Amino acid sequence: MKSVRLFDFLQFDGASWQVVAQDGGELALKNLATDRIRRVSVAELLSDESYLPDSPERLPSLDTAAVLETLDADAREQVEFLHRHVHEVLNGTPPNAAPGSAPKPGYDLANHLGARIAAKLDELATAGVVMTERTMFRHIAAYRDKGIAGLADGRTRRPMGTGARTDPRIIALLEAEIARQAEASTGTRSRAEARVRAAAAREGIPVPSRATLYRLMAQIEGARHPFGNATTRRTQANRPDRSWGRQAPSRPGELVEIDSTPLDLMVICPDGTASRADLTVALDIATRTPLAAILRPVSTKAVDAAVLLARAMTPLPMQPGWDASLAYSRSVLPQGMLPGDEEVRSSIAAKPVIVPESITVDRGKVFVGSTFTAACERLQISMTKAAPRTPTDKPHIERFFAGVNTGFTQYLAGYAGPNVVRRGTDPAAEARFTLAEVQNLLDWWLLAVWQNRPHPGLRHPAMPKKDLTPNEAFAALASVAPQVPVALTRDDYIALLPVEWRSIQAYGINFHGLHYDAPALHEYRGVSSRLPAPANGRWEIRYDPYRIQSIHVRDHHKGVWIEAEWTLARHLVGPFSLDVLTAAKKAIGRRDENIPGKDLLAEVNRIMTAPAGRAETQAARRANSAPAAVPDTAPPAHLAPVPETPKPEASPQHADAVALAAGPRPRRHARRIDLLED
């Protein structure tokens, strides 16, 4: 407790002073070195960090003023009993006596202290309480020193340590055994007890009883869950050894988190098998807006991280091939799952385009590769690496993944559940959607549902009780901290795609066994680019691994990109990915570069228009495990349009999925494939 009195000497504001006068709430301080007088208020003096009295504090400490609130009922009753009698000995009257009341004759302050103590001991003896004079003197001394807290039995307030009466070596063995459970498979306490007993026997340490060991383990384990679920135990052990922090960005794009996680959904892969897909997302923290989301059947590569960055900064209509991919998915999905063009474009217009300023990523190879880091450096985006094996450094995107599973994934056929405990008998047999279809459904769900759903983590100071949607949060923050609306152009998007080098032949460009051509390539046929290594005279090729029906050739003479289509692209049912091309080559059974284009076209169309059912999935699994793939015997559909098939009625598995989007709408395309076999 700080105090100041007249004529006190003190240190203040880096000098030595003496209080020489007081006028109400102000003091006059005299500088002992210069004799200068300075007026300062009492409140300012006592609140200043530089104030230091030269004499020790004369007022008692109030640290133990609330000691009665910390005692149990019996201990509190004992303290109040002693306080009443000690107070009467020292002051003549009990603490609850009326002001001005006369003391009892034996406790009159005119009597010396010894006489008052003797009178009190006689009174206590009459009441049946035995107390010696020495004990009473000790209580009086403690009361004068610490107040009422000095009358409390110190044993009732002493903190109890873990195993205070147990051999410290036994405690060390138990600590080591509990820590050992973090990465081990879950066992029982009896196993831990047996290991501790064996270790103690080797060192010749006496072991307490089983009940004592169990009680000590219960005190040591705390929230580490050594004998519970292994996933919970590893999560608890992975917590940072520090206080929790909180990031509160105040403008859109100030902080963006990027991460990948397996989606709890079985999708149909190009080879006919069903497997889970990896979801990679870039999430803006200030508005909870997902800037981009990409699905892949395998782990994301570094070049895909750059593609994610390109999609995050490029509106969907400006991405090459997006319109064709959406139109194809609309033609094959159940009616009403994807709305018409006008509603899609209005939802795209409502979604903000946010330019990242800082990106937090983990230390996986997908995000520390040269492609992604070079793209961030070029765009002047700072990159922060999260601590190793610390998902708590990116808590917002982890919560976003949970929101995708509960709001989107669980309504689709093939939902696998978050873990094996909640998984169905065979979710792979229920898979009905291809990866491209789920990608388009996810893009639409993020636009129509997520961006317009209130989020409890988005609040405005002017409306602290109202949850805002991501679109509303962006509008609120943009009015306070507006940003320059920057979006990548089509050429910028292409420049961030993966790169390869190819020569331009008379027939065009051979890329992964497919021939690509364009009229603008005519003047460069058979001509060297004259670019140094690694080009070695070849031309720069950029491609989107998810839409390889066309590639982009860099004309460095004119500074433009030339879009070259596959020569058979007009006969495709829709855009296809590099994974589909790889599966088509494997199904044909020839891995060389001389597979006829008509055979590849037929196989690609077959894969995209005939998703596997249960029997076909099992056959694909057997084919993948065999030494060689079995060639497809279906007749090639060279230069032939895809025949129209009638639309089946949607099965019950898709009732929830259709509810994710708008209601049924008139269809302009009648082409439909049977995705919904029961």
Side-chain angles (χ1 to χ4, degrees):
M1 179 182 296
K2 292 183 178 182
S3 64
V4 60
R5 298 183 182 181
L6 197 60
F7 306 121
D8 277 358
F9 293 92
L10 53 91
Q11 300 290 326
F12 171 65
D13 200 15
S16 299
W17 308 81
Q18 183 184 14
V19 182
V20 295
Q22 181 176 5
D23 182 13
E26 286 191 346
L27 300 175
L29 305 182
K30 178 181 178 182
N31 192 308
L32 298 181
T34 63
D35 292 335
R36 181 173 64 90
I37 301 298
R38 176 176 176 180
R39 298 177 66 88
V40 62
S41 66
V42 176
E44 179 183 356
L45 177 65
L46 296 181
S47 62
D48 194 282
E49 295 292 338
S50 64
Y51 167 70
L52 182 65
D54 284 351
S55 58
E57 298 179 2
R58 288 179 293 272
L59 295 179
S61 173
L62 297 179
D63 292 343
T64 57
V67 63
L68 293 180
E69 306 297 332
T70 64
L71 301 176
D72 56 49
D74 294 338
R76 178 169 181 166
E77 183 180 358
Q78 178 66 18
V79 170
E80 291 175 344
F81 172 80
L82 292 175
H83 178 229
R84 183 172 60 255
H85 294 290
V86 170
H87 189 278
E88 188 174 14
V89 170
L90 293 177
N91 300 286
T93 58
N96 56 352
S101 58
K104 295 180 181 179
Y107 307 122
D108 195 331
L109 296 182
N111 302 330
H112 60 81
L113 181 61
R116 298 198 298 269
I117 291 178
K120 177 57 67 177
L121 294 178
D122 292 340
E123 179 184 343
L124 292 176
T126 304
V129 179
V130 179
M131 182 180 297
T132 64
E133 183 180 5
R134 182 182 181 89
T135 302
M136 178 59 71
F137 269 112
R138 191 177 70 250
H139 287 323
I140 292 175
Y143 180 74
R144 285 173 171 174
D145 182 34
K146 299 180 180 179
I148 194 173
L151 302 177
D153 190 346
R155 294 171 295 181
T156 61
R157 303 177 58 206
R158 186 182 306 156
M160 297 182 61
T162 302
R165 299 180 181 180
T166 307
D167 192 329
R169 294 174 294 179
I170 293 293
I171 301 298
L173 291 177
L174 288 171
E175 289 277 5
E177 182 61 29
I178 295 298
R180 180 182 176 185
Q181 305 297 320
E183 300 297 333
S185 299
T186 302
T188 61
R189 287 180 174 83
S190 59
R191 184 183 71 173
E193 177 205 1
R195 289 177 174 177
V196 170
R197 290 186 179 276
R202 288 193 297 268
E203 300 180 12
I205 305 174
V207 183
S209 65
R210 180 179 183 181
T212 301
L213 287 179
Y214 273 49
R215 184 175 63 253
L216 293 175
M217 279 191 286
Q219 296 176 2
I220 294 173
E221 63 184 58
R224 289 185 283 184
H225 296 272
F227 309 108
N229 292 335
T231 53
T232 305
R233 180 168 62 253
R234 286 192 292 269
T235 300
Q236 298 291 342
N238 204 27
R239 286 182 172 179
D241 189 16
R242 53 177 171 79
S243 300
W244 295 102
R246 182 176 179 84
Q247 296 172 322
S250 58
R251 59 184 182 274
E254 181 180 355
L255 179 60
V256 174
E257 293 176 356
I258 297 181
D259 201 4
S260 298
T261 189
L263 198 66
D264 296 335
L265 180 70
M266 305 298 291
V267 299
I268 298 176
C269 298
D271 59 359
T273 61
S275 67
R276 297 174 69 179
D278 281 351
L279 173 62
T280 304
V281 176
L283 181 71
D284 175 58
I285 306 306
T287 64
R288 301 298 195 275
T289 297
L291 307 185
I294 294 181
L295 289 172
R296 274 190 62 86
V298 292
S299 298
T300 309
K301 300 179 181 179
V303 293
D304 296 327
V307 174
L308 178 74
L309 186 61
R311 292 192 179 184
M313 300 181 63
T314 308
L316 291 175
M318 298 176 63
Q319 299 177 13
W322 180 81
D323 288 334
S325 177
L326 180 65
Y328 168 71
S329 295
R330 186 185 290 117
S331 67
V332 298
L333 286 173
Q335 184 174 358
M337 291 192 71
L338 287 177
D341 291 339
E342 293 184 2
E343 186 171 350
V344 169
R345 294 188 181 277
S346 63
S347 298
I348 293 175
K351 180 185 177 182
V353 177
I354 299 175
V355 181
E357 299 179 15
S358 176
I359 294 178
T360 300
V361 298
D362 55 26
R363 296 174 181 265
K365 293 182 179 179
V366 294
F367 303 120
V368 297
S370 58
T371 305
F372 182 71
T373 55
C376 290
E377 181 179 356
R378 181 62 177 166
L379 294 172
Q380 298 183 355
I381 300 173
S382 61
M383 187 171 65
T384 303
K385 297 179 182 178
R389 299 180 300 278
T390 309
T392 51
D393 282 358
K394 306 185 300 297
H396 309 91
I397 197 167
E398 301 293 344
R399 183 62 186 87
F400 171 80
F401 289 144
V404 171
N405 282 329
T406 57
F408 171 75
T409 310
Q410 68 170 339
Y411 295 98
L412 299 179
Y415 176 62
N419 50 56
V420 294
V421 178
R422 301 184 179 184
R423 187 164 300 164
T425 304
D426 190 3
E430 302 174 1
R432 292 294 182 270
F433 298 103
T434 64
L435 193 66
E437 294 166 359
V438 176
Q439 177 71 69
N440 285 323
L441 284 174
L442 177 62
D443 290 341
W444 167 244
W445 181 81
L446 293 176
L447 290 172
V449 180
W450 178 269
Q451 287 297 116
N452 297 287
R453 186 172 67 179
H455 195 289
L458 298 177
R459 300 288 179 89
H460 194 275
M463 299 176 291
K465 296 184 178 181
K466 176 179 174 56
D467 296 340
L468 302 180
T469 68
N471 286 342
E472 292 173 345
F474 176 81
L477 293 178
S479 61
V480 178
Q483 62 174 187
V484 178
V486 177
L488 298 184
T489 63
R490 179 179 178 275
D491 290 350
D492 296 330
Y493 178 87
I494 295 172
L496 287 176
L497 297 177
V499 60
E500 288 196 19
W501 306 94
R502 292 291 189 275
S503 59
I504 302 178
Q505 305 295 334
Y507 55 81
I509 298 174
N510 187 333
F511 183 74
H512 287 275
L514 305 183
H515 293 171
Y516 294 82
D517 199 3
L521 296 178
H522 183 71
E523 58 181 308
Y524 300 119
R525 301 183 191 276
V527 178
S528 171
S529 67
R530 297 185 180 181
L531 295 176
N536 296 326
R538 295 173 297 178
W539 296 80
E540 179 183 354
I541 305 296
R542 299 279 179 169
Y543 68 97
D544 189 337
Y546 307 99
R547 303 159 186 163
I548 63 168
Q549 68 277 6
S550 62
I551 61 175
H552 306 275
V553 185
R554 177 68 174 176
D555 185 351
H556 56 276
H557 298 295
K558 301 178 181 178
V560 297
W561 290 99
I562 301 175
E563 183 175 357
E565 280 193 343
W566 182 27
T567 54
L568 300 179
R570 295 185 178 181
H571 307 288
L572 287 168
V573 296
F576 66 102
S577 65
L578 191 59
D579 296 323
V580 172
L581 178 61
T582 302
K585 291 181 178 180
K586 185 176 181 180
I588 294 176
R590 298 170 60 182
R591 297 181 178 272
D592 55 21
E593 297 293 330
N594 298 321
I595 301 178
K598 61 179 182 179
D599 294 343
L600 281 176
L601 174 65
E603 186 61 28
V604 168
N605 283 339
R606 187 195 67 81
I607 291 175
M608 297 180 64
T609 57
R614 182 182 181 91
E616 188 173 354
T617 300
Q618 295 176 350
R621 292 175 180 172
R622 292 193 297 269
N624 288 338
S625 61
V630 179
D632 183 72
T633 57
H638 179 47
L639 303 181
V642 178
E644 297 185 355
T645 56
K647 283 182 173 290
E649 294 294 331
S651 66
Q653 292 109 328
H654 291 80
D656 291 335
V658 175
L660 290 175
R665 289 172 172 78
R667 303 295 300 241
R668 295 181 300 173
H669 304 283
R671 187 171 69 245
R672 176 70 174 90
I673 54 173
D674 187 6
L675 294 174
L676 310 174
E677 279 188 334
D678 288 331

